[in-house]
Amino acid sequence: MSSAVTLNDAGACTPTTVSAARYRGRPRFGIQLPEVGRGVRWPEYRRMAQAAEQVGFDQIWVGDHLLYRGGRGGERGPWEAFTLLSALAAVTERVVLGPLVACAGFHPPGLIAKMASTVDDVSGGRFMLGLGAGWNRTEFDAFGIPFDRRVDRFDEAWTIIRELTSGGRSTLDGTHWRTGDAVLHPPRAAPGAMPLMVGSNGARVLRITLPHAHAWNTWFTETGNSPDGVARLAADMSRIATEVGRDPSTVVRSVCVLVRLGDGGERPHDDACPAVTGSPAAIAARLREF
C-alpha cells in the first residue's frame, strides 16, 4: 500500500483555528486519502478517515482532480473534492481537512470561497484551503475549462478568494474573473481568516501568494521524495518570501512524502522518486531526516 504522507514542520498545513504559532514544536503528520490508484467508495473513505484520526494523524487531505487519461492507469477520475471533504468533516472531530490542492481554475473564485466556507463551518473551523493553478490539461479540455494563461487567472482568483475568506468584500474587474461587492454569508464562526495554503514551486505563483499565505506545500515528485530536495525548494521559497517582504519563519512549510508499507507487488510510482519503505523503524528514521 502506498500513500502520500504530509509532513508539516514549524510551517505547514493546518488548523482548528489555525495560526503559525500552533506549528512551532513537533512536526504534524497528515495523510492523503486514495485518489485514483483504485476505486474507493464513500463507506471506505469514512472508515479510512476515522481510523487515521483514531491513530493520531493531524490532517486528512484529498486531491482535487476531474479526469486522468493515459499511462498505466488508463482512464480514471476521483470524486469531487469539496463534496467529499464536507462529508469527511461530518464524520471526524479533530483532524484538519483540506484539498491538496484545489485547482483555482475549476470554478469561479467566489464560488471556491463559498464552497470552502461551507466545509469550514461543517468541520467547526478545521479546514485549510490549499490552492494551485492546475497542470493536467486533459481534465481542463474534457470539462471545457480554459487552460491558457493559468497563472494570470490564478493571480486574479487568489485575490478574490483571499479577500472573501479573510472576512472582507471583493470587487474586481479583472481580465479573467470579476466580482461586484461579493461577500460571504454566513460569516465564519471560527476566529480569524480561513488559512490558505499555496501548492506550488513556481516563482511567479509564490510571489503572488507568499505575502498572505499561511502555508506552503510541495509534492514528492518535485523533491525526488528526498530531504535534500525539500531543503532546496524550501530555501527557494524562503528567498522569495524575503523578497516580497514576508518573514520566511512565519510561513508554515509542508511536504508530501510517498510512503510504501509492506510489499504489495506495486510498481514504483516514479523511478526518480522512490517511496520511503521498510520496517516501521526505518520509515520513522527517514521521516526524521525530512
Side-chain angles (χ1 to χ4, degrees), residues 182-269:
V183 63
L184 294 181
H185 283 296
R188 190 172 194 240
M194 182 189 303
L196 301 180
M197 175 173 67
V198 56
S200 178
N201 297 307
R204 187 176 169 202
V205 171
L206 292 178
R207 289 181 183 280
I208 291 166
T209 56
L210 286 179
H212 302 284
H214 173 83
W216 163 78
N217 175 264
T218 189
W219 194 248
F220 66 88
T221 54
E222 300 295 314
T223 66
N225 215 38
S226 73
D228 288 344
V230 176
R232 173 178 53 82
L233 293 176
D236 290 343
M237 184 277 293
S238 294
R239 173 181 54 79
I240 293 172
T242 300
E243 290 173 357
V244 298
R246 176 76 177 275
D247 178 355
S249 70
T250 66
V251 181
V252 174
R253 300 146 190 250
S254 66
V255 57
C256 293
V257 181
L258 183 65
V259 176
R260 179 173 171 178
L261 304 178
D263 184 5
E266 302 162 289
R267 292 191 292 177
H269 180 278

Side-chain angles (χ1 to χ4, degrees), residues 24 43 71 76 122 137 164 210 212 215 235 257 290:
R24 306 264 192 274
R76 59 217 184 274
V122 174
R137 179 156 193 163
L164 293 176
L210 286 179
H212 302 284
V257 181
F290 280 93

Side-chain angles (χ1 to χ4, degrees), residues 132-155:
W135 58 270
N136 179 21
R137 179 156 193 163
T138 292
E139 56 196 346
F140 282 79
D141 291 346
F143 284 81
I145 300 168
F147 188 74
D148 66 309
R149 303 183 69 181
R150 281 171 297 135
V151 177
D152 289 342
R153 296 175 190 276
F154 177 86
D155 191 356

Side-chain angles (χ1 to χ4, degrees), residues 60-190:
I60 294 173
W61 306 95
V62 303
D64 181 29
H65 285 282
L66 306 175
L67 182 67
Y68 294 96
R69 287 189 175 123
R72 62 178 182 238
E75 189 172 73
R76 59 217 184 274
W79 299 110
E80 196 283 314
F82 286 88
T83 309
L84 180 59
L85 285 164
S86 193
L88 293 171
V91 298
T92 56
E93 298 178 353
R94 177 186 56 79
V95 290
V96 169
L97 299 160
L100 200 66
V101 290
C103 178
F106 284 173
H107 309 279
L111 181 58
I112 292 175
K114 186 73 172 179
M115 294 189 299
S117 69
T118 302
V119 182
D120 184 57
D121 195 69
V122 174
S123 71
R126 293 182 287 124
F127 185 74
M128 176 177 285
L129 178 55
L131 290 166
W135 58 270
N136 179 21
R137 179 156 193 163
T138 292
E139 56 196 346
F140 282 79
D141 291 346
F143 284 81
I145 300 168
F147 188 74
D148 66 309
R149 303 183 69 181
R150 281 171 297 135
V151 177
D152 289 342
R153 296 175 190 276
F154 177 86
D155 191 356
E156 294 179 2
W158 175 269
T159 298
I160 293 169
I161 293 168
R162 178 182 59 80
E163 289 173 342
L164 293 176
T165 57
S166 64
R169 310 176 84 91
S170 175
T171 297
L172 178 72
D173 184 15
T175 302
H176 307 286
W177 303 111
R178 292 175 175 81
T179 49
D181 196 27
V183 63
L184 294 181
H185 283 296
R188 190 172 194 240

